[in-house]
Amino acid sequence: MDTLLEDALGELFRHVTSGAAPGLEITTDQRKAISNEIYASGFADLLLPQAAGGSGISLSEAIGLLKMEGYYNVPIPFAQTVVTRAWAHAHSVNLPEGTFSYASSALQIDEQTRSATLHKAWHGHWVDHMLIATDQQCLMAHSHERRVLQTYHGGLFAAVAWPAQGLTRLDLDEQATHDLFNFSVLAMLAVTLGAMEKAFELTLAYAAQRQQFGRPVSKFQAVQHQISEMAEHVCAADMALQLAAATDDNALTVPASHQLAIAQFQIAHIADNIADIAHAIHGAIGISQEYPLHHYTRRIRECKSCFGSAQYWAAEIGQQILHKNNDTLLAVLTWTRDEKRTG
């Protein structure tokens, strides 16, 4: 990936999050100011081709940029907005300006109040637009018509309701709806992995700095074992995500479903273990408001199964393998897009 892009986006994220104290809630006005600054930078269009005002990089090259939302604990859905705008360009869908979130959860329709409720909306309490996939259709809800039912302290999800007439049905074919789901899963995985990498860095630094019995705790074999296990999990998750994003040079090519399922299973399966090890090594300071670790471990736990648990994705992988009658298990797991194209 172009390191100029990575350096520039990293500097931008450091700047916009520098005023957010670890123990304080970010206000709606602060979120909006951060959103406007990031949007004005043009990075929301980074997956678009150069002819459309984007950077022209591939999806695989963009993974490092999408991870930065989780790594810097950016309080807006940057990665989801990036992939949504790329998806809209690929399928010629006209979308309004602003930030986007996505949900594939069941939308509850109340006929008496003529309202629709989403109980787990990613950034639902403030994002500009919410795309909701339900019953083989995709709806778009806008911020000015929402009613926030419940938010969670320090959380990134909220329960939100909209008037039924405030939901706009997008005229999409089955392929477009499927592609939006896959892009959204990839974006959430990238954000989760970014938070994992930051939690690992914090843990590594703390273990080297914390003294016990006259030496850093990182010198104790038991702690070294925990750190090595954590490093192994983060590395495996990164490899799985890179394989899922390895489409081709066209950033608008949707990630392969079976590789995406493997990456989602891997990350959902190890997420709690990574968070648990981080807090075990930090001890009590890890859950204090003033120390940043809890922001990252909360994000890891909240996002790990946003689109399904590890058990759900394991079943999906199993079904895909069972439908490959003439292939071995190894062949299915190492399947590439080029093989599908030529096969």
Side-chain angles (χ1 to χ4, degrees):
M1 187 192 63
D2 190 339
T3 56
L4 290 177
L5 285 175
E6 190 174 80
D7 292 344
L9 186 60
E11 181 61 33
L12 175 63
F13 282 174
R14 279 191 292 271
H15 166 67
V16 299
T17 59
S18 60
L24 299 177
E25 286 287 299
I26 298 177
T27 66
T28 301
D29 289 341
Q30 287 175 318
R31 289 180 190 270
K32 194 62 182 176
I34 291 172
S35 174
N36 290 340
E37 188 164 353
I38 293 175
Y39 203 85
S41 71
F43 277 107
D45 290 332
L46 68 89
L47 277 180
L48 269 59
Q50 291 181 345
S55 66
I57 63 175
S58 68
L59 188 60
S60 179
E61 292 172 319
I63 287 297
L65 298 169
L66 300 181
K67 287 193 300 184
M68 287 187 179
E69 178 189 328
Y71 184 87
Y72 288 102
N73 195 35
V74 179
I76 70 166
F78 169 76
Q80 181 64 56
T81 300
V82 169
V83 299
T84 299
R85 291 180 65 79
W87 165 83
H89 178 83
H91 290 279
S92 301
V93 178
N94 292 321
L95 294 178
E97 298 294 311
T99 53
F100 284 88
S101 185
Y102 173 86
S104 60
S105 310
L107 187 70
Q108 295 185 353
I109 307 294
D110 189 327
E111 296 296 342
Q112 288 187 325
T113 61
R114 297 185 59 79
S115 64
T117 302
L118 194 61
H119 290 285
K120 190 178 181 182
W122 172 246
H123 290 289
H125 45 312
W126 81 270
V127 73
D128 294 322
H129 314 286
M130 173 72 67
L131 296 176
I132 308 166
T134 178
D135 297 329
Q136 297 182 337
Q137 63 178 341
C138 188
L139 306 171
M140 181 164 61
H142 306 288
S143 60
H144 61 276
E145 296 175 299
R146 70 168 165 242
R147 181 165 54 92
V148 179
L149 304 178
Q150 185 176 5
T151 59
Y152 310 97
H153 177 74
L156 300 171
F157 292 90
V160 189
W162 296 269
Q165 67 272 20
L167 300 174
T168 304
R169 185 180 184 277
L170 299 180
D171 186 17
L172 304 176
D173 57 30
E174 185 177 348
Q175 186 61 51
T177 304
H178 174 267
D179 289 355
L180 177 59
F181 175 78
N182 277 12
F183 273 126
S184 300
V185 171
L186 185 81
M188 186 66 77
L189 291 178
V191 171
T192 309
L193 179 57
M196 288 179 175
E197 291 179 348
K198 183 63 176 183
F200 175 65
E201 287 185 12
L202 288 171
T203 302
L204 201 61
Y206 182 80
Q209 164 257 316
R210 177 78 168 93
Q211 295 281 328
Q212 192 71 288
F213 301 110
R215 57 177 176 163
V217 297
S218 60
K219 298 297 183 180
F220 292 94
Q221 189 174 19
V223 175
Q224 290 175 347
H225 174 77
Q226 288 180 302
I227 291 175
S228 64
E229 183 181 351
M230 193 177 182
E232 178 185 348
H233 286 323
V234 173
C235 183
D238 184 55
M239 291 176 64
L241 185 58
Q242 289 291 346
L243 287 172
T247 52
D248 51 35
D249 290 337
N250 182 4
L252 304 182
T253 302
V254 66
S257 295
H258 83 287
Q259 293 285 16
L260 203 58
I262 293 171
Q264 175 66 80
F265 168 78
Q266 178 70 24
I267 289 177
H269 180 66
I270 66 175
D272 283 336
N273 199 7
I274 288 176
D276 289 346
I277 292 174
H279 281 288
I281 293 176
H282 275 86
I285 193 175
I287 60 173
S288 64
Q289 285 288 346
E290 296 76 17
Y291 193 76
L293 179 66
H294 67 97
H295 286 288
Y296 298 100
T297 53
R298 179 187 291 115
R299 189 181 282 254
I300 291 169
R301 294 189 196 276
E302 285 187 334
C303 299
K304 66 173 183 177
S305 56
C306 186
F307 294 108
S309 65
Q311 291 78 8
Y312 168 82
W313 287 100
E316 287 292 302
I317 296 169
Q319 287 297 322
Q320 292 173 11
I321 292 172
L322 290 175
H323 284 87
K324 297 284 186 179
N325 298 323
N326 299 322
D327 288 337
T328 65
L329 174 61
L330 179 62
V332 173
L333 295 179
T334 58
W335 174 93
T336 66
R337 184 174 297 271
D338 288 338
E339 289 171 355
K340 180 181 180 183
R341 187 182 296 119
T342 57

